[in-house]
Amino acid sequence: MEELRRFLDGRVVIKLGDITKEDVEAIVNAANSSLMGGGGVDGAIHRAGGPQILRECKEIRSAHYPDGLPTGQAIITTAGKMAARHVIHTVGPVYGQGGREKAEQLAACYRNSLFLAAESKLKSVAFPAISTGVYGYPMEEAAQVSSRAIERFLGSDKRIEEVRLVFFSRQDADIFLKNHAFTSHSQ
Ligand code: AR6
């Protein structure tokens, strides 16, 4: 897993690799509102973690979200067989009309996932680039929205020590690094 850069006094790490291998307290899943699994990073997380994750998602659906998890919200399960201890499942927006609303929903995914991690006393969280695969959000725009949301959260809440942004391809990482809105670099 290759580390590319750090921002915000080292609290944000940009990496290249497969998020299912990340050794952090929580990895974030780019799920859909059914919470029943899917393709992309969602499929990879359920495969790597095993059936326990789906069992917990089903319980959470029936107890709290019979109609599905709304876009922008987040829930937490254990991580099954993965190195991480927990999975935070969030639902990104499907890109399309209503750019401002989509950006607000994408920012909410990052904010709500970080808040849930902090409330659960988890100090390190790894994110994939939510919505930038099947859901079609351009990486250039997602880079700005996600970095702003992360910086704002970390500025006002000191409980999370490390946020890793894990990109699956070098090309995606490069687009992120050209378009992010982090205000301070460190290393
Ligand atoms: N590690 C890190 N990043 C990954 C991995 C991985 N193992 N696999 C894919 N990515 P996507 P979305 C990147 O499509 O756009 C699912 O079917 C990928 O290159 O996984 O939010 C769900 O069930 C891309 O940059 O999520 C939903 O129905 C990013 O992860 C829908 O897709 C997100 O791509 C969600 O779509």
Side-chain angles (χ1 to χ4, degrees), residues 17-19 30-32 37-42 44 128-135 168 172:
D18 176 356
I19 200 168
N32 60 63
V41 73
D42 194 6
I130 296 164
S131 284
T132 65
V134 176
Y135 282 179
F168 211 32
D172 283 347

Side-chain angles (χ1 to χ4, degrees), residues 24-42:
V24 271
E25 292 190 288
I27 64 172
V28 176
N29 182 16
N32 60 63
S33 68
S34 81
L35 298 177
M36 294 298 118
V41 73
D42 194 6

Side-chain angles (χ1 to χ4, degrees), residues 1-2 4 14-22 39-45 47 127-130 132-134 139 164-176:
M1 218 77 66
E2 193 186 343
L4 301 175
I14 312 301
K15 294 183 85 172
L16 199 57
D18 176 356
I19 200 168
T20 66
K21 306 262 166 50
E22 281 294 320
V41 73
D42 194 6
I45 285 172
R47 274 195 302 280
F127 284 91
I130 296 164
T132 65
V134 176
M139 183 63 79
R164 298 182 190 170
L165 303 183
V166 181
F167 294 93
F168 211 32
S169 74
R170 181 74 213 207
Q171 195 191 358
D172 283 347
D174 286 342
I175 298 174
F176 179 90

